[in-house]
């Protein structure tokens, strides 16, 4: 009789201990409201996360899309890619409006213009759709976060490369895309660093490459005709360095002018390899895509919250993530070709 009573008592104590451990031993932040397996967070394949670009045929987007796809595969969600076919803000707004109407789980967008998309981005936020920006920002919008290059710093790095190659003196020209925030910041970083650190280098021209190889080529030719003694160029966007290189080859001036390019499309890398382009700056493009989707997933599931003055203990979403940049020269160019 006594043994059976003791057995019951021990059993009750054991049960109470297990209940106590279950209730108080598991932290609240581990009691997730979404599925989770031993490999980490897992979403729903029905959840669509959309990436929106412009000039959607550009090779530049491929690495960013790959990062977005890799994150989607990791989280078991569906990635979708949409974009304006041309360099046209109105077309990108139309595409974004169509996406909002379908109420996706989140939107990652690169803004063709720092102001033009603000109203439409805010419309998505107000409809409860998380939005993050990558590559090119729209700081006046309600988008939760920006993931991309510290573009002012990138321009400054380009200036230091130019100054080193020019031995601290000469004339420089910039070929850029006006009215796009990331290019404005790169141009400013280059110009201000040249002025501060290389007072014997003068910027003689800032020209519009129209976001195309042909436009950059024409701009470079016009600058050389106007300033035959220009020592070199800085291109702020992917097509620019290649377009400048083509102009120099056509004019028989390759390897006689300094060229600082941007990004790592194959044409640019080939020109770094043959010496037409001295340096190009490689952005952390895969990072932009991968972490954009990760941020959207976390926001969609309420794991993090947009930054605000009073977070009430919630985990804030980083308002800016610098995805990094590296210098590509003939010495390391082989590392940047697509494998």
């Amino acid at each position: 009789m006594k043994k059976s009573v003791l057995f019951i008592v021990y059993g009750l104590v054991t049960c109470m201990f297990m209940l106590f451990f279950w209730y108080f031993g598991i932290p609240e932040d581990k009691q997730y409201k979404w599925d989770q397996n031993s490999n980490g967070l897992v979403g729903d394949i029905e959840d669509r996360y959309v990436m929106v670009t412009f000039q959607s045929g550009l090779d530049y987007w491929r690495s960013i899309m790959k990062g977005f796809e890799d994150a989607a595969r990791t989280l078991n969600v569906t990635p979708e890619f949409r974009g304006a076919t041309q360099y046209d803000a109105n077309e990108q707004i139309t595409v974004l409006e169509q996406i909002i109407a379908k109420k996706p789980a989140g939107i990652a967008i690169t803004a063709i213009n720092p102001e033009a998309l603000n109203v439409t981005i805010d419309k998505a936020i107000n409809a409860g759709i998380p939005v993050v920006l990558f590559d090119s920002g729209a700081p006046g919008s309600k988008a939760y976060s920006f993931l991309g290059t510290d573009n002012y710093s990138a321009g400054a790095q380009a200036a230091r490369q130019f100054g080193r190659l020019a031995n601290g003196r000469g004339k420089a020209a910039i070929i850029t895309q006006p009215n796009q925030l990331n290019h404005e910041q790169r141009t400013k970083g280059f110009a201000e660093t040249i002025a501060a650190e290389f007072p014997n280098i003068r910027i003689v021209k800032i020209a519009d490459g129209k976001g195309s190889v042909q436009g950059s080529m024409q701009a470079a030719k016009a600058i050389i005709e106007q300033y035959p003694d220009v020592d070199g160029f800085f291109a702020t966007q992917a097509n620019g360095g290649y377009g400048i290189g083509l102009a120099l080859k056509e004019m028989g001036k390759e390897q006689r002018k300094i060229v600082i390019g941007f990004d790592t499309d194959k044409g640019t890398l080939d020109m770094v390899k043959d010496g037409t382009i001295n340096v190009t700056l490689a952005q952390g493009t895969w990072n932009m895509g991968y972490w954009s989707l990760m941020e959207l997933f976390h926001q969609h599931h309420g794991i993090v919250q947009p930054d605000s003055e009073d977070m009430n203990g919630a985990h804030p979403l980083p308002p800016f993530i610098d995805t990094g940049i590296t210098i590509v020269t003939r010495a390391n160019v082989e590392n940047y070709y697509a494998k």
Side-chain angles (χ1 to χ4, degrees):
M1 181 70 177
K2 290 181 179 179
K3 287 183 179 179
S4 62
V5 171
L6 286 172
F7 182 81
I8 293 169
V9 171
Y10 287 146
L12 287 171
V13 169
T14 302
C15 289
M16 290 176 66
F17 176 79
M18 291 178 69
L19 284 168
F20 179 89
F21 178 79
W22 178 82
Y23 189 81
F24 293 102
I26 300 176
E28 254 185 52
D29 62 355
K30 298 296 183 186
Q31 298 171 11
Y32 297 121
K33 295 179 182 179
W34 59 91
D35 293 332
Q36 186 179 21
N37 65 16
S38 59
N39 295 321
L41 299 177
V42 176
D44 188 333
I45 198 68
E46 297 298 319
D47 286 345
R48 291 183 311 107
Y49 293 84
V50 186
M51 174 171 280
V52 185
T53 62
F54 53 86
Q55 289 180 289
S56 54
L58 285 178
D59 284 348
Y60 172 70
W61 306 124
R62 290 184 181 180
S63 176
I64 301 176
M65 291 176 176
K66 178 65 165 58
F68 202 75
E69 285 179 337
D70 287 348
R73 189 178 303 109
T74 299
L75 297 170
N76 191 44
V77 297
T78 299
E80 183 178 324
F81 302 101
R82 299 283 306 278
T85 57
Q86 305 298 318
Y87 191 77
D88 185 333
N90 290 326
E91 185 186 358
Q92 194 179 30
I93 290 168
T94 299
V95 170
L96 185 54
E97 289 277 5
Q98 292 168 349
I99 293 165
I100 292 168
K102 294 181 179 180
K103 298 183 178 178
I107 299 170
I109 184 166
T110 177
I112 192 171
N113 179 287
E115 300 292 337
L117 276 75
N118 286 353
V119 171
T120 316
I121 290 170
D122 292 354
K123 180 179 178 180
I125 296 288
N126 294 336
I129 302 168
V131 179
V132 299
L133 292 153
F134 67 92
D135 187 55
S136 181
S141 74
K142 294 180 181 177
Y144 295 145
S145 183
F146 173 72
L147 302 94
T149 302
D150 181 336
N151 287 298
Y152 183 94
S153 177
Q157 288 192 55
R160 293 181 185 116
Q161 293 294 319
F162 190 99
R164 175 182 62 82
L165 292 164
N167 295 316
R169 60 180 63 250
K171 296 177 181 178
I174 303 170
I175 295 180
T176 187
Q177 281 181 263
N179 303 317
Q180 190 172 314
L181 184 60
N182 52 347
H183 296 292
E184 291 177 351
Q185 291 169 335
R186 292 168 196 169
T187 299
K188 186 177 182 182
F190 185 90
E192 292 186 352
T193 302
I194 288 290
E197 300 181 17
F198 302 98
N200 293 320
I201 295 177
R202 183 165 65 93
I203 296 173
V204 295
K205 187 77 172 181
I206 299 176
D208 183 1
K210 303 186 186 303
S212 70
V213 171
Q214 190 65 27
S216 299
M217 187 177 177
Q218 291 172 350
K221 286 181 178 180
I223 290 168
I224 291 171
E225 288 172 2
Q226 186 177 0
Y227 302 98
D229 60 344
V230 68
D231 293 280
F233 299 85
F234 168 46
T236 69
Q237 55 91 28
N239 288 326
Y242 185 63
I244 293 166
L246 289 177
L248 295 178
K249 285 176 179 285
E250 191 173 298
M251 300 173 81
K253 296 182 181 294
E254 66 270 30
Q255 300 186 27
R256 293 167 58 187
K257 305 285 186 185
I258 298 165
V259 182
I260 310 295
F262 222 95
D263 296 318
T264 55
D265 59 281
K266 186 178 183 301
T268 296
L269 294 176
D270 287 345
M271 286 190 177
V272 171
K273 194 172 181 178
D274 72 19
T276 303
I277 295 175
N278 301 83
V279 169
T280 192
L281 281 70
Q283 300 187 77
T285 48
W286 184 90
N287 284 337
M288 294 181 198
Y290 187 87
W291 295 108
S292 286
L293 197 146
M294 285 290 178
E295 285 200 356
L296 291 172
F297 182 93
H298 280 63
Q299 177 58 32
H300 177 68
H301 288 286
I303 306 169
V304 293
Q305 297 295 327
D307 196 13
S308 66
E309 291 182 5
D310 184 10
M311 294 303 300
N312 291 321
H315 302 292
L317 191 70
F320 170 64
I321 292 180
D322 182 359
T323 49
I325 202 158
T326 54
I327 303 297
V328 183
T329 66
R330 185 182 278 183
N332 64 349
V333 67
E334 292 292 347
N335 298 332
Y336 291 87
Y337 280 95
K339 300 295 190 288

